[in-house]
């Protein structure tokens, strides 16, 4: 059995697969449509993540959207993932996804630095103990 993908892995995969298509079709007069939602292919993303599409859909809809959706002061709800947005099926709020992913990446780097510095402190402590034992002999 494969391990389920983490939130960071899911968001990273969607970002990598759809970053080039945002904000829509470019032409010389326009930068693309001004719609934050992109339609994603849940089956294709699930295949890249090596998980079942039903599991990924449930993760996006029942967990990630519930965790990250919020209500603006005018009462408008902002969703990370919606089953249908306008004529788009399985819509992801791409700028919001990008912001959440950036926060995950920042936290990941902080954790790596913490682990790295802890390992360095451990090595230095062990070296100090060894040096103390060697000089005591």
């Amino acid at each position: 059995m494969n391990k389920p993908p983490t939130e960071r892995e899911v968001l990273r995969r969607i970002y990598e697969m759809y970053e080039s298509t945002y904000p829509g079709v470019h032409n010389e007069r326009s930068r693309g449509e001004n719609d934050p939602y992109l339609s994603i292919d849940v089956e294709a993303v699930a295949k890249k993540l090596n998980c079942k599409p039903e599991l990924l859909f449930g993760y996006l809809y029942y967990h990630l959207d519930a965790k990250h959706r919020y209500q603006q002061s005018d009462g408008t709800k902002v969703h990370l993932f919606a089953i249908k947005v306008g004529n788009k099926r399985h819509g992801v709020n791409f700028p919001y996804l990008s912001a959440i992913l950036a926060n995950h990446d920042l936290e990941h780097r902080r954790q790596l630095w913490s682990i790295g510095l802890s390992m360095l402190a451990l090595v230095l402590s062990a070296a100090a103990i060894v040096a103390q034992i060697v000089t005591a002999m």
Side-chain angles (χ1 to χ4, degrees), residues 18-130:
Y18 292 95
E19 190 268 334
S20 64
T21 63
Y22 183 78
V25 180
H26 297 268
N27 61 38
E28 59 276 352
R29 284 184 259 137
S30 158
R31 293 196 61 231
E33 61 182 297
N34 189 22
D35 184 359
Y37 288 93
L38 287 179
S39 184
I40 65 167
D41 183 348
V42 173
E43 288 189 21
V45 176
K47 186 175 181 180
K48 293 271 188 178
L49 289 168
N50 200 22
C51 71
K52 294 179 181 177
E54 298 83 7
L55 178 68
L56 179 62
F57 174 83
Y59 190 61
L60 286 166
Y61 185 68
Y62 295 109
H63 178 67
L64 293 182
D65 184 58
K67 178 180 177 183
H68 294 289
R69 91 175 135 235
Y70 64 93
Q71 192 166 351
Q72 294 180 331
S73 59
D74 66 355
T76 306
K77 289 186 179 176
V78 177
H79 292 269
L80 174 62
F81 178 80
I83 295 175
K84 187 167 171 72
V85 178
N87 62 351
K88 296 177 182 175
R89 185 169 181 257
H90 297 158
V92 172
N93 186 326
F94 197 75
Y96 191 31
L97 178 142
S98 299
I100 295 167
L101 179 60
N103 284 331
H104 277 285
D105 287 345
L106 177 63
E107 186 62 31
H108 181 72
R109 283 190 301 275
R110 285 180 181 160
Q111 289 175 354
L112 286 178
W113 272 101
S114 296
I115 290 170
L117 291 174
S118 296
M119 294 298 289
L120 179 62
L122 182 65
V123 168
L124 290 175
S125 296
I129 291 171
V130 169

